[in-house]
Amino acid sequence: MMMLTVIVDGANVVGSRPDGWWRDRAGAATRLAERLDGVLGADSGALTRALDIADGTPLRVVLVLEGAARSAAPRTADRQLRVLRAETDGDTAIAALARDLTATGEEVVVVTADRGLRARVHVSGARTVGPGALLRALDPTST
């Protein structure tokens, strides 16, 4: 079975909930990474179901961080999670990564609500889902 990569637009996912993230961008990014790591380690099936991916699909997650969030220092244990600190803006890093992976035949899902970014990654053949789907997988008790 082919590997599937989920690329998470960290700024877009963190920014989708008005919970004060703007006061500590690195802290918000750290919490997101650690929540992703926890789901991957405990029940990656919750993540695949939330993102409409077939259960049992080999999965890795790349969390892309930009700006002040790049200084996040998550403690993660799961090798399925990689934190990519964008050299410039996150959208450019995400679009390039999606393009490179789909060029090798890999399936890619990008988590973002950014319409411009969605259009850029669709050109490469990547699929997109909104942040709400990911956040429901990370915290199924939230509304």
Side-chain angles (χ1 to χ4, degrees):
M1 184 173 273
M2 186 182 314
M3 176 68 68
L4 181 135
T5 299
V6 176
I7 303 172
V8 179
D9 180 349
N12 193 264
V13 171
V14 167
S16 68
R17 289 197 174 157
D19 60 4
W21 59 266
W22 52 89
R23 290 188 294 269
D24 180 10
R25 293 169 195 260
T30 296
R31 288 187 297 279
L32 175 59
E34 290 175 352
R35 289 168 61 201
L36 281 165
D37 184 64
V39 166
L40 287 167
D43 181 17
S44 63
L47 184 58
T48 57
R49 286 186 298 278
L51 301 179
D52 197 25
I53 300 165
D55 277 344
T57 300
L59 178 70
R60 73 175 156 221
V61 176
V62 179
L63 173 61
V64 178
L65 302 177
E66 66 183 8
R70 286 190 310 231
S71 65
R75 289 183 296 263
T76 59
D78 199 295
R79 295 180 187 264
Q80 291 174 278
L81 176 64
R82 177 177 153 222
V83 176
L84 173 65
R85 289 165 174 83
E87 290 184 27
T88 56
D89 67 288
D91 289 4
T92 299
I94 291 166
L97 181 58
R99 181 190 63 241
D100 293 348
L101 292 173
T102 57
T104 66
E106 190 165 322
E107 186 177 355
V108 175
V109 175
V110 176
V111 180
T112 187
D114 181 310
R115 285 184 289 191
L117 179 57
R118 287 166 92 91
R120 288 172 72 182
V121 300
H122 283 157
V123 168
S124 69
R127 187 167 63 87
T128 59
V129 297
L134 177 64
L135 292 170
R136 283 188 295 277
L138 297 178
D139 186 9
T141 61
S142 71
T143 56

PDB file of all heavy atoms in Angstrom, residues 13-34:
ATOM      1  N   VAL A  13      -4.339  26.113  10.692  1.00  0.00           N
ATOM      2  CA  VAL A  13      -5.062  25.270  11.656  1.00  0.00           C
ATOM      3  C   VAL A  13      -5.112  25.960  13.016  1.00  0.00           C
ATOM      4  O   VAL A  13      -6.178  26.070  13.624  1.00  0.00           O
ATOM      5  CB  VAL A  13      -4.429  23.867  11.753  1.00  0.00           C
ATOM      6  CG1 VAL A  13      -5.040  23.075  12.903  1.00  0.00           C
ATOM      7  CG2 VAL A  13      -4.598  23.113  10.435  1.00  0.00           C
ATOM      8  N   VAL A  14      -3.970  26.451  13.484  1.00  0.00           N
ATOM      9  CA  VAL A  14      -3.940  27.143  14.776  1.00  0.00           C
ATOM     10  C   VAL A  14      -4.846  28.372  14.738  1.00  0.00           C
ATOM     11  O   VAL A  14      -5.578  28.644  15.684  1.00  0.00           O
ATOM     12  CB  VAL A  14      -2.489  27.527  15.154  1.00  0.00           C
ATOM     13  CG1 VAL A  14      -2.458  28.518  16.308  1.00  0.00           C
ATOM     14  CG2 VAL A  14      -1.694  26.277  15.507  1.00  0.00           C
ATOM     15  N   GLY A  15      -4.815  29.098  13.629  1.00  0.00           N
ATOM     16  CA  GLY A  15      -5.590  30.323  13.512  1.00  0.00           C
ATOM     17  C   GLY A  15      -7.074  30.121  13.296  1.00  0.00           C
ATOM     18  O   GLY A  15      -7.839  31.088  13.288  1.00  0.00           O
ATOM     19  N   SER A  16      -7.504  28.878  13.146  1.00  0.00           N
ATOM     20  CA  SER A  16      -8.921  28.631  12.874  1.00  0.00           C
ATOM     21  C   SER A  16      -9.794  28.695  14.119  1.00  0.00           C
ATOM     22  O   SER A  16     -11.021  28.709  14.014  1.00  0.00           O
ATOM     23  CB  SER A  16      -9.099  27.267  12.186  1.00  0.00           C
ATOM     24  OG  SER A  16      -8.793  26.215  13.078  1.00  0.00           O
ATOM     25  N   ARG A  17      -9.179  28.766  15.285  1.00  0.00           N
ATOM     26  CA  ARG A  17      -9.929  28.878  16.542  1.00  0.00           C
ATOM     27  C   ARG A  17      -9.436  30.079  17.329  1.00  0.00           C
ATOM     28  O   ARG A  17      -8.241  30.183  17.609  1.00  0.00           O
ATOM     29  CB  ARG A  17      -9.756  27.613  17.392  1.00  0.00           C
ATOM     30  CG  ARG A  17     -10.479  26.431  16.813  1.00  0.00           C
ATOM     31  CD  ARG A  17     -10.632  25.363  17.841  1.00  0.00           C
ATOM     32  NE  ARG A  17     -11.458  24.297  17.312  1.00  0.00           N
ATOM     33  CZ  ARG A  17     -11.436  23.066  17.761  1.00  0.00           C
ATOM     34  NH1 ARG A  17     -10.621  22.742  18.746  1.00  0.00           N
ATOM     35  NH2 ARG A  17     -12.226  22.148  17.252  1.00  0.00           N
ATOM     36  N   PRO A  18     -10.340  30.958  17.730  1.00  0.00           N
ATOM     37  CA  PRO A  18      -9.927  32.167  18.465  1.00  0.00           C
ATOM     38  C   PRO A  18      -9.706  31.862  19.948  1.00  0.00           C
ATOM     39  O   PRO A  18     -10.484  32.249  20.803  1.00  0.00           O
ATOM     40  CB  PRO A  18     -11.109  33.112  18.251  1.00  0.00           C
ATOM     41  CG  PRO A  18     -12.286  32.192  18.114  1.00  0.00           C
ATOM     42  CD  PRO A  18     -11.766  30.963  17.416  1.00  0.00           C
ATOM     43  N   ASP A  19      -8.605  31.162  20.239  1.00  0.00           N
ATOM     44  CA  ASP A  19      -8.344  30.750  21.618  1.00  0.00           C
ATOM     45  C   ASP A  19      -7.142  31.472  22.229  1.00  0.00           C
ATOM     46  O   ASP A  19      -6.570  31.006  23.212  1.00  0.00           O
ATOM     47  CB  ASP A  19      -8.148  29.234  21.681  1.00  0.00           C
ATOM     48  CG  ASP A  19      -6.975  28.756  20.838  1.00  0.00           C
ATOM     49  OD1 ASP A  19      -6.262  29.603  20.249  1.00  0.00           O
ATOM     50  OD2 ASP A  19      -6.763  27.538  20.769  1.00  0.00           O
ATOM     51  N   GLY A  20      -6.745  32.604  21.629  1.00  0.00           N
ATOM     52  CA  GLY A  20      -5.622  33.370  22.153  1.00  0.00           C
ATOM     53  C   GLY A  20      -4.276  32.961  21.584  1.00  0.00           C
ATOM     54  O   GLY A  20      -3.238  33.415  22.068  1.00  0.00           O
ATOM     55  N   TRP A  21      -4.265  32.149  20.546  1.00  0.00           N
ATOM     56  CA  TRP A  21      -3.029  31.648  19.944  1.00  0.00           C
ATOM     57  C   TRP A  21      -2.068  32.771  19.567  1.00  0.00           C
ATOM     58  O   TRP A  21      -0.859  32.602  19.605  1.00  0.00           O
ATOM     59  CB  TRP A  21      -3.322  30.786  18.717  1.00  0.00           C
ATOM     60  CG  TRP A  21      -4.088  31.505  17.641  1.00  0.00           C
ATOM     61  CD1 TRP A  21      -5.435  31.504  17.458  1.00  0.00           C
ATOM     62  CD2 TRP A  21      -3.552  32.352  16.624  1.00  0.00           C
ATOM     63  NE1 TRP A  21      -5.773  32.301  16.390  1.00  0.00           N
ATOM     64  CE2 TRP A  21      -4.635  32.828  15.861  1.00  0.00           C
ATOM     65  CE3 TRP A  21      -2.266  32.760  16.279  1.00  0.00           C
ATOM     66  CZ2 TRP A  21      -4.466  33.693  14.788  1.00  0.00           C
ATOM     67  CZ3 TRP A  21      -2.103  33.623  15.202  1.00  0.00           C
ATOM     68  CH2 TRP A  21      -3.204  34.068  14.469  1.00  0.00           C
ATOM     69  N   TRP A  22      -2.593  33.934  19.209  1.00  0.00           N
ATOM     70  CA  TRP A  22      -1.766  35.047  18.739  1.00  0.00           C
ATOM     71  C   TRP A  22      -0.853  35.602  19.820  1.00  0.00           C
ATOM     72  O   TRP A  22       0.127  36.260  19.525  1.00  0.00           O
ATOM     73  CB  TRP A  22      -2.638  36.159  18.160  1.00  0.00           C
ATOM     74  CG  TRP A  22      -3.725  36.592  19.091  1.00  0.00           C
ATOM     75  CD1 TRP A  22      -3.651  37.562  20.038  1.00  0.00           C
ATOM     76  CD2 TRP A  22      -5.032  36.040  19.179  1.00  0.00           C
ATOM     77  NE1 TRP A  22      -4.836  37.654  20.729  1.00  0.00           N
ATOM     78  CE2 TRP A  22      -5.716  36.717  20.206  1.00  0.00           C
ATOM     79  CE3 TRP A  22      -5.713  35.034  18.499  1.00  0.00           C
ATOM     80  CZ2 TRP A  22      -7.020  36.427  20.568  1.00  0.00           C
ATOM     81  CZ3 TRP A  22      -7.015  34.743  18.855  1.00  0.00           C
ATOM     82  CH2 TRP A  22      -7.658  35.433  19.881  1.00  0.00           C
ATOM     83  N   ARG A  23      -1.166  35.314  21.081  1.00  0.00           N
ATOM     84  CA  ARG A  23      -0.313  35.789  22.172  1.00  0.00           C
ATOM     85  C   ARG A  23       0.948  34.940  22.325  1.00  0.00           C
ATOM     86  O   ARG A  23       1.940  35.389  22.902  1.00  0.00           O
ATOM     87  CB  ARG A  23      -1.095  35.803  23.490  1.00  0.00           C
ATOM     88  CG  ARG A  23      -2.163  36.883  23.527  1.00  0.00           C
ATOM     89  CD  ARG A  23      -2.794  37.017  24.899  1.00  0.00           C
ATOM     90  NE  ARG A  23      -3.565  35.859  25.300  1.00  0.00           N
ATOM     91  CZ  ARG A  23      -4.874  35.701  25.080  1.00  0.00           C
ATOM     92  NH1 ARG A  23      -5.555  36.639  24.441  1.00  0.00           N
ATOM     93  NH2 ARG A  23      -5.504  34.619  25.481  1.00  0.00           N
ATOM     94  N   ASP A  24       0.897  33.698  21.827  1.00  0.00           N
ATOM     95  CA  ASP A  24       2.043  32.787  21.945  1.00  0.00           C
ATOM     96  C   ASP A  24       2.007  31.821  20.762  1.00  0.00           C
ATOM     97  O   ASP A  24       1.553  30.688  20.881  1.00  0.00           O
ATOM     98  CB  ASP A  24       1.978  32.034  23.273  1.00  0.00           C
ATOM     99  CG  ASP A  24       3.142  31.069  23.464  1.00  0.00           C
ATOM    100  OD1 ASP A  24       4.111  31.101  22.667  1.00  0.00           O
ATOM    101  OD2 ASP A  24       3.068  30.258  24.397  1.00  0.00           O
ATOM    102  N   ARG A  25       2.472  32.296  19.631  1.00  0.00           N
ATOM    103  CA  ARG A  25       2.418  31.487  18.405  1.00  0.00           C
ATOM    104  C   ARG A  25       3.248  30.208  18.523  1.00  0.00           C
ATOM    105  O   ARG A  25       2.828  29.152  18.078  1.00  0.00           O
ATOM    106  CB  ARG A  25       2.866  32.319  17.210  1.00  0.00           C
ATOM    107  CG  ARG A  25       1.889  33.432  16.898  1.00  0.00           C
ATOM    108  CD  ARG A  25       2.440  34.421  15.881  1.00  0.00           C
ATOM    109  NE  ARG A  25       1.654  35.629  15.863  1.00  0.00           N
ATOM    110  CZ  ARG A  25       0.722  35.908  14.976  1.00  0.00           C
ATOM    111  NH1 ARG A  25       0.453  35.062  14.017  1.00  0.00           N
ATOM    112  NH2 ARG A  25       0.045  37.020  15.037  1.00  0.00           N
ATOM    113  N   ALA A  26       4.430  30.297  19.114  1.00  0.00           N
ATOM    114  CA  ALA A  26       5.270  29.108  19.274  1.00  0.00           C
ATOM    115  C   ALA A  26       4.597  28.095  20.212  1.00  0.00           C
ATOM    116  O   ALA A  26       4.617  26.891  19.956  1.00  0.00           O
ATOM    117  CB  ALA A  26       6.647  29.488  19.792  1.00  0.00           C
ATOM    118  N   GLY A  27       3.998  28.594  21.274  1.00  0.00           N
ATOM    119  CA  GLY A  27       3.297  27.700  22.201  1.00  0.00           C
ATOM    120  C   GLY A  27       2.108  27.017  21.538  1.00  0.00           C
ATOM    121  O   GLY A  27       1.876  25.822  21.740  1.00  0.00           O
ATOM    122  N   ALA A  28       1.355  27.764  20.743  1.00  0.00           N
ATOM    123  CA  ALA A  28       0.213  27.183  20.031  1.00  0.00           C
ATOM    124  C   ALA A  28       0.681  26.124  19.044  1.00  0.00           C
ATOM    125  O   ALA A  28       0.056  25.058  18.917  1.00  0.00           O
ATOM    126  CB  ALA A  28      -0.577  28.278  19.316  1.00  0.00           C
ATOM    127  N   ALA A  29       1.785  26.382  18.347  1.00  0.00           N
ATOM    128  CA  ALA A  29       2.329  25.407  17.400  1.00  0.00           C
ATOM    129  C   ALA A  29       2.841  24.168  18.132  1.00  0.00           C
ATOM    130  O   ALA A  29       2.657  23.034  17.664  1.00  0.00           O
ATOM    131  CB  ALA A  29       3.438  26.035  16.574  1.00  0.00           C
ATOM    132  N   THR A  30       3.456  24.369  19.286  1.00  0.00           N
ATOM    133  CA  THR A  30       3.929  23.238  20.093  1.00  0.00           C
ATOM    134  C   THR A  30       2.756  22.359  20.522  1.00  0.00           C
ATOM    135  O   THR A  30       2.812  21.135  20.415  1.00  0.00           O
ATOM    136  CB  THR A  30       4.694  23.749  21.336  1.00  0.00           C
ATOM    137  OG1 THR A  30       5.863  24.441  20.889  1.00  0.00           O
ATOM    138  CG2 THR A  30       5.083  22.612  22.260  1.00  0.00           C
ATOM    139  N   ARG A  31       1.686  22.996  20.990  1.00  0.00           N
ATOM    140  CA  ARG A  31       0.516  22.219  21.416  1.00  0.00           C
ATOM    141  C   ARG A  31      -0.084  21.433  20.248  1.00  0.00           C
ATOM    142  O   ARG A  31      -0.457  20.267  20.403  1.00  0.00           O
ATOM    143  CB  ARG A  31      -0.535  23.136  22.053  1.00  0.00           C
ATOM    144  CG  ARG A  31      -0.122  23.641  23.436  1.00  0.00           C
ATOM    145  CD  ARG A  31      -1.231  24.414  24.139  1.00  0.00           C
ATOM    146  NE  ARG A  31      -1.620  25.630  23.442  1.00  0.00           N
ATOM    147  CZ  ARG A  31      -0.957  26.785  23.520  1.00  0.00           C
ATOM    148  NH1 ARG A  31       0.138  26.872  24.250  1.00  0.00           N
ATOM    149  NH2 ARG A  31      -1.385  27.844  22.868  1.00  0.00           N
ATOM    150  N   LEU A  32      -0.160  22.054  19.065  1.00  0.00           N
ATOM    151  CA  LEU A  32      -0.688  21.350  17.899  1.00  0.00           C
ATOM    152  C   LEU A  32       0.182  20.155  17.552  1.00  0.00           C
ATOM    153  O   LEU A  32      -0.327  19.049  17.319  1.00  0.00           O
ATOM    154  CB  LEU A  32      -0.793  22.299  16.705  1.00  0.00           C
ATOM    155  CG  LEU A  32      -1.232  21.663  15.374  1.00  0.00           C
ATOM    156  CD1 LEU A  32      -2.599  20.995  15.500  1.00  0.00           C
ATOM    157  CD2 LEU A  32      -1.233  22.706  14.265  1.00  0.00           C
ATOM    158  N   ALA A  33       1.493  20.334  17.538  1.00  0.00           N
ATOM    159  CA  ALA A  33       2.407  19.228  17.222  1.00  0.00           C
ATOM    160  C   ALA A  33       2.262  18.094  18.230  1.00  0.00           C
ATOM    161  O   ALA A  33       2.216  16.918  17.853  1.00  0.00           O
ATOM    162  CB  ALA A  33       3.852  19.728  17.189  1.00  0.00           C
ATOM    163  N   GLU A  34       2.174  18.436  19.491  1.00  0.00           N
ATOM    164  CA  GLU A  34       2.063  17.407  20.522  1.00  0.00           C
ATOM    165  C   GLU A  34       0.724  16.680  20.449  1.00  0.00           C
ATOM    166  O   GLU A  34       0.647  15.472  20.690  1.00  0.00           O
ATOM    167  CB  GLU A  34       2.335  18.006  21.895  1.00  0.00           C
ATOM    168  CG  GLU A  34       3.810  18.388  22.038  1.00  0.00           C
ATOM    169  CD  GLU A  34       4.170  19.114  23.319  1.00  0.00           C
ATOM    170  OE1 GLU A  34       3.253  19.498  24.096  1.00  0.00           O
ATOM    171  OE2 GLU A  34       5.385  19.326  23.539  1.00  0.00           O
TER     172      GLU A  34
END
